[in-house]
Amino acid sequence: MHPESARVAGFGTTIFTEISRLAIQEKAVNLGQGFPDFDGPDEVKQAAIEAIRAGVNQYGVTTGSPVLRQAIVEHAKRFYGQVLDPEKQVTVTSGATEAIFDAVMGLIDPGDEVVLFEPYYDSYLASVQMAGGVPRFVQLRPPETAEGAWWFDEAELRAAFSSKTRLVIVNTPHNPTGKLFTRHELELIHGLVARHGATLLSDEVYEHLVYPPATHLRPATLQPEHTLTISSGGKSFSFTGWKIGWAMGPEALVRATQKAHQWVTFAVAHPFQVAIAAALRLPDSYFADFVGQYQRRRDLLVDGLRRAGFSPFVPHGSYFVMAGTGAHRRQGEDDGAFCRRLVTEARVAAIPPSVFFSPAHAPSVHHLARFAFCKTDPVLLEGIRRLEAWATQR
Ligand SMILES: Cc1ncc(COP(=O)(O)O)c(C=O)c1O
């Protein structure tokens, strides 16, 4: 008997589960998992506790707590100059993951095409597949220098569009490359989206992880009419387990997303919505300190990887480093085999980036590994120490 629907039958266990299981077994330092091993600010925790004590414990409004929707539009105005109506242009979801799923469900029909940049966050493809959509891939390619920007080929992007294109998903700052899409690139994408009457879905969960001199350009500020922006409180405030996310933009796009949301979760954790509202209103000093700490961690990891014989690309945003495995890689070894061997030999976990590519393009990153630096200093330093020790033994 096959109890699974065709919709989910192709989904295996994710590589994150496999590598994390192996990491526990080998007592490895886990630089694979993309979530912080530390908590966000105490005052935000306090806001959640107070909301629970004050009795904010029943279903909230399906579009999200009015307090949070107001804080979301204020934050969008404060950081990007966007003007949004909290009643009609915002909906709150269970993390960005649900917002992505709802938007895909609400905006595409079976057979419609969705343009995805590879490497893509894995939930994009799963959402598109569950909606019966057809993915069209555009590859991001590594820069020539360690400090350079990942890029895509304009002709490849144009060729990915067709009369069936309904959606394009952009993730900026980008996981796992740390790329920030430039004005020129976004204008090109917007032009194609407009010409095809499609929608741009912009996933900006790393919006506050941008390392100067790089800057984050919100795609919706260039072309608000056809752009749905998705973000969440997980990464910006180090509360990934709270799963408070949102979608915002033109009323028609938010309505389509909300229509799916009302039957997926209906409403999300009420007291945590109130707490994330407080987080979004934290002073500028919080955001400056947050990015400063992450920049320091990034530099620590990049330097450590170099000393251990890897060739990291310095990310401009997000909290991931893609690194060439260079001489450590055995002949013919792919990134999955390399990462499994790294856990057992060096006792450090990393993620093989080919899982973020379609099978046809996966070999293009068999020489890379993804490391995360959303970790406390002792963990990062121990990870680096182990990598260096492993490298010198070989
Ligand atoms: C690019 C990207 N989008 C979305 C998410 C999920 O966000 P959330 O935890 O808010 O669902 C992640 C989490 O790793 C991510 O990397």
Side-chain angles (χ1 to χ4, degrees):
M1 194 180 98
H2 300 288
E4 292 180 352
S5 68
R7 198 175 297 116
V8 302
F11 299 155
T13 318
T14 72
I15 190 73
F16 303 97
T17 314
E18 186 197 334
I19 293 281
S20 291
R21 199 179 295 141
L22 200 57
I24 291 167
Q25 185 186 309
E26 300 292 334
K27 297 194 171 49
V29 172
N30 198 337
L31 302 184
Q33 258 165 358
F35 57 82
D37 64 354
F38 48 85
D39 284 351
D42 272 348
E43 61 260 53
V44 178
K45 282 188 190 172
Q46 202 51 42
I49 292 164
E50 277 164 23
I52 290 171
R53 292 233 164 89
V56 186
N57 297 305
Q58 308 308 329
Y59 295 134
V61 182
T62 177
T63 51
S65 151
V67 180
L68 176 55
R69 279 184 281 123
Q70 184 58 38
I72 290 168
V73 302
E74 282 172 15
H75 174 273
K77 176 95 172 53
R78 171 175 157 201
F79 286 95
Y80 307 100
Q82 276 179 297
V83 177
L84 295 161
D85 177 349
E87 293 299 320
K88 297 181 180 146
Q89 295 187 276
V90 184
T91 199
V92 175
T93 55
S94 182
T97 311
E98 193 213 328
I100 292 158
F101 181 77
D102 295 346
V104 171
M105 282 293 169
L107 293 168
I108 72 162
D109 284 311
D112 286 345
E113 293 183 0
V114 180
V115 177
L116 299 178
F117 289 88
E118 294 175 308
Y120 50 78
Y121 181 59
D122 47 4
S123 91
Y124 303 162
L125 182 61
S127 299
V128 169
Q129 287 172 336
M130 283 193 276
V134 180
R136 292 277 172 235
F137 299 105
V138 177
Q139 248 183 300
L140 294 179
R141 293 159 196 277
E144 302 242 310
T145 64
E147 312 279 336
W150 289 67
W151 59 283
F152 61 84
D153 181 54
E154 185 176 328
E156 194 183 325
L157 177 72
R158 289 183 188 281
F161 278 80
S162 81
S163 58
K164 293 187 181 156
T165 308
R166 301 294 311 138
L167 200 60
V168 179
I169 306 184
V170 165
N171 171 214
T172 186
H174 184 260
N175 166 13
T177 66
K179 174 183 172 61
L180 291 154
F181 280 70
T182 64
R183 176 178 293 270
H184 171 74
E185 289 168 336
L186 291 172
E187 282 174 352
L188 182 67
I189 298 166
H190 276 309
L192 289 162
V193 166
R195 195 165 323 141
H196 290 81
T199 295
L200 177 68
L201 193 159
S202 181
D203 174 354
E204 298 175 43
V205 297
Y206 299 100
E207 61 181 297
H208 288 295
L209 284 162
V210 178
Y211 308 112
T215 52
H216 171 48
L217 184 57
R218 170 159 285 186
T221 59
L222 299 179
Q223 253 297 8
E225 302 87 62
H226 59 224
T227 309
L228 185 71
T229 305
I230 285 174
S231 193
S232 74
K235 321 287 175 179
S236 299
F237 306 110
S238 312
F239 289 117
T240 58
W242 291 6
K243 295 295 289 183
I244 300 297
W246 51 89
M248 58 193 162
E251 196 180 334
L253 299 181
V254 170
R255 195 185 311 117
T257 307
Q258 165 60 28
K259 280 189 178 181
H261 165 70
Q262 70 182 330
W263 300 120
V264 175
T265 52
F266 180 75
V268 305
H270 205 169
F272 294 130
Q273 293 189 57
V274 175
I276 292 295
L280 288 165
R281 291 183 171 132
L282 285 168
D284 291 351
S285 57
Y286 165 78
F287 295 96
D289 179 59
F290 178 74
V291 81
Q293 291 292 340
Y294 265 107
Q295 186 155 6
R296 194 183 51 72
R297 290 183 193 112
R298 176 195 70 170
D299 296 343
L300 202 65
L301 181 59
V302 165
D303 290 347
L305 285 169
R306 281 192 183 132
R307 286 197 305 275
F310 289 82
S311 308
F313 294 105
V314 181
H316 301 171
S318 85
Y319 50 49
F320 300 105
V321 178
M322 291 274 264
T325 50
H328 294 314
R329 183 185 174 204
R330 289 184 180 152
Q331 211 183 354
E333 188 175 45
D334 68 19
D335 54 337
F338 177 84
C339 288
R340 284 183 197 96
R341 189 162 62 82
L342 195 70
V343 185
T344 50
E345 289 184 8
R347 292 194 301 123
V348 173
I351 294 292
S354 60
V355 299
F356 307 119
F357 282 78
S358 58
H361 298 149
S364 70
V365 288
H366 278 169
H367 62 297
L368 300 176
R370 187 196 83 171
F371 294 87
F373 56 90
C374 43
K375 309 294 166 187
T376 47
D377 283 11
V379 172
L380 273 180
L381 291 170
E382 177 59 15
I384 292 165
R385 190 194 65 73
R386 290 185 188 189
L387 288 173
E388 285 188 84
W390 174 72
T392 47
Q393 274 165 22
R394 300 184 69 250

